[in-house]
Amino acid sequence: MFGTLRPKGLSGCDRGDFQANFCGSCHAMAKVGKPYSLATSYDIAFLHTVIAVLEDAPVERLPCTALPFKKVAVRRLSESNQRWLSAINILLLAAKCEDDIADEGSWKGRLGRRMLSGEAEVAEEFLRADGFPVDVLRGLPERQSEAERATGPTLEGLALPTADLLGKIFSAVAQRSGKPTFAIPLRRLGQSLGTAIYIKDAIDDQRKDRQKSRFNAVSSGAPNRSYARQSLLREAERARRGVVALGLGSSGVALERILDSLRPLPEPLRTTTGVGRWGRRRAGGVWEIAACWKGLAACGVLGCEGACHGVNCCECAGCCSGCPCPADCSSGSSSGTETDKASSTGVTPPSPRLNCPACDNRLSVARCGNVEVDECGRCSGLWLDHGELEALAALDTPPDRLLTLKTLRMPQLRPEGTRPCPHCSEFLT
């Protein structure tokens, strides 16, 4: 999570909802120290949103960390989860600095490492005591370098260290929020998000990495650009389905739209034209923090105190027309059905769903003799649960399904070693 996500396409209450979570993560970082609030990014705000919905965190009006004289809507986590989120972000930033140093000996990376060294040690100690596998996070640069040095690397294999790390971070949220049944779907969300972020960074940085003679996963010869784009679309869609499965209500809608920023633009539409020095917002820097006070009040979160009530909170005419708030903004009333109110705060455990490890298609039940197996209708793969292989081997006559070869005309399949188990989502070895 290194500044890849963007809140594109958000408006009205969806934008306000995410802004309250962004401000919440900013306040969590400020507890480490005021300057660390500048290390807030849209990526860490994404994680904050998931935690906030699962723990049903309240929204309050608090002084802005950058402009104390102005109060903003802040979705504030519990003290423990604020500490956990800031510790995760500090170590992610430290890993990013180490990666920059390994890639090009960046002076910015060296400066960041020096500035973060003390807080990184404190964060590591806290996370170890909390039971988080810190070695997976601290060892990310080394595992990434090892993957890049491997013979015949695959794109998904190169993304595996990031995918595994985010899978563990998101699954840990379930335990911290007191909802262990969410661990598996959160792991799936984290894995697909990590893979998509890695691939998107490789696609976006391809030209820059070539100019600076740095390693790039797309230019390394493992995949081609078309393969990378299809893989990115697959993982972004898997992440989107993961958000839907979690049932995060209106916050989930905002996260779905943010995930759209991972989807690659059609090639003819891509451009290298900049937006100008003062129009650029850098993730984790002051340009992104500037969004805190530029008319982004959370109208939907705080009873819609925005354009529908005569205050232009979103800097757009009629931003709340058709607003998805529990209250009826267009009429100014606060009436809403009990179902709407419950759905805005309650979170129900996601229903189990089995997806193909190779292509992520939904598996369906198929019969091979008297044995029920799970079959992929897209790549024709079979998933055999414990004991089903032995049951098939015990049949007197092998089913025709196992004796028929099918010609595959497939989009990209995940290579072996990067395929997640349909049940627990751990990577199969």
Side-chain angles (χ1 to χ4, degrees):
M1 302 175 76
F2 304 127
T4 304
L5 298 178
R6 291 288 182 272
K8 295 179 179 179
L10 292 184
S11 61
C13 295
D14 292 335
R15 188 177 182 89
D17 184 285
F18 186 70
Q19 184 63 30
N21 284 284
F22 183 92
C23 292
S25 55
C26 186
H27 275 70
M29 291 302 299
K31 287 185 175 296
V32 180
K34 282 286 186 180
Y36 290 98
S37 64
L38 295 177
T40 307
S41 69
Y42 294 128
D43 298 43
I44 206 67
F46 187 102
L47 178 61
H48 182 284
T49 304
V50 175
I51 301 174
V53 175
L54 293 183
E55 76 163 41
D56 196 16
V59 179
E60 307 172 32
R61 282 211 174 266
L62 301 174
C64 174
T65 57
L67 298 175
F69 57 83
K70 178 176 181 179
K71 288 192 174 183
V72 294
V74 178
R75 193 163 195 184
R76 189 161 62 168
L77 301 178
S78 64
E79 290 291 333
S80 176
N81 278 339
Q82 284 189 64
R83 176 82 183 277
W84 185 86
L85 184 78
S86 61
I88 289 290
N89 197 26
I90 288 291
L91 292 188
L92 283 172
L93 290 169
K96 172 63 172 156
C97 291
E98 294 292 345
D99 186 61
D100 288 345
I101 294 171
D103 278 350
E104 53 183 316
S106 167
W107 66 268
K108 292 181 181 178
R110 296 181 186 279
L111 178 62
R113 181 173 64 180
R114 172 176 290 186
M115 293 176 62
L116 291 170
S117 60
E119 292 299 336
E121 291 179 3
V122 174
E124 182 176 349
E125 182 179 351
F126 170 78
L127 291 176
R128 284 191 188 279
D130 193 65
F132 184 82
V134 178
D135 293 340
V136 176
L137 207 165
R138 292 291 267 177
L140 178 62
E142 291 78 8
R143 290 188 296 122
Q144 191 63 59
S145 297
E146 183 179 346
E148 293 172 1
R149 292 193 301 267
T151 304
T154 62
L155 181 61
E156 290 84 357
L158 290 168
L160 193 60
T162 304
D164 183 50
L165 170 61
L166 290 195
K168 287 180 168 58
I169 288 176
F170 273 77
S171 62
V173 169
Q175 298 295 332
R176 294 200 58 82
S177 303
K179 293 181 171 61
T181 55
F182 284 77
I184 293 174
L186 282 169
R187 184 181 300 124
R188 291 195 184 106
L189 171 59
Q191 288 171 348
S192 53
L193 185 61
T195 305
I197 285 175
Y198 181 87
I199 296 175
K200 180 171 174 58
D201 281 344
I203 293 175
D204 292 346
D205 296 342
Q206 193 173 7
R207 177 177 298 181
K208 182 170 61 176
D209 289 341
R210 184 165 54 246
Q211 292 173 345
K212 296 187 176 183
S213 300
R214 296 186 304 201
F215 178 88
N216 184 280
V218 179
S219 303
S220 65
N224 55 41
R225 191 176 179 89
S226 175
Y227 179 102
R229 289 169 61 84
Q230 291 185 48
S231 297
L232 174 56
L233 286 171
R234 181 193 64 216
E235 297 302 327
E237 175 59 22
R238 186 184 184 222
R240 189 197 67 80
R241 289 203 314 267
V243 170
V244 173
L246 289 172
L248 302 180
S250 59
S251 296
V253 175
L255 296 186
E256 286 182 65
R257 294 181 180 174
I258 290 171
L259 289 173
D260 287 340
S261 67
L262 292 173
R263 298 176 181 273
L265 292 173
E267 290 287 2
L269 298 180
R270 293 188 65 84
T271 176
T272 57
T273 303
V275 294
R277 180 181 179 187
W278 301 112
R280 186 179 298 121
R281 284 181 184 156
R282 298 186 181 277
V286 293
W287 305 124
E288 184 172 291
I289 298 299
C292 289
W293 57 82
K294 193 174 180 181
L296 299 180
C299 60
V301 182
L302 295 179
C304 202
E305 301 168 357
C308 46
H309 288 243
V311 180
N312 188 8
C313 68
C314 299
E315 293 193 336
C316 60
C319 71
C320 291
S321 57
C323 176
C325 299
D328 184 359
C329 300
S330 58
S331 63
S333 67
S334 59
S335 61
T337 64
E338 292 300 322
T339 303
D340 291 337
K341 293 177 181 178
S343 63
S344 66
T345 57
V347 180
T348 56
S351 57
R353 168 176 177 157
L354 298 184
N355 290 82
C356 176
C359 70
D360 204 44
N361 187 47
R362 180 74 174 267
L363 295 177
S364 58
V365 177
R367 294 196 68 85
C368 289
N370 60 353
V371 182
E372 283 191 351
V373 299
D374 298 295
E375 181 178 20
C376 178
R378 181 185 295 172
C379 70
S380 301
L382 290 179
W383 173 261
L384 304 179
D385 287 319
H386 181 70
E388 291 180 348
L389 179 61
E390 292 76 7
L392 290 173
L395 296 176
D396 295 333
T397 305
D400 292 338
R401 169 66 184 81
L402 299 181
L403 301 177
T404 303
L405 295 179
K406 294 187 178 182
T407 302
L408 298 182
R409 295 180 180 177
M410 273 299 301
Q412 313 306 331
L413 298 178
R414 292 191 187 93
E416 293 185 10
T418 66
R419 297 176 178 178
C421 171
H423 291 287
C424 68
S425 203
E426 293 286 357
F427 289 109
L428 301 170
T429 56

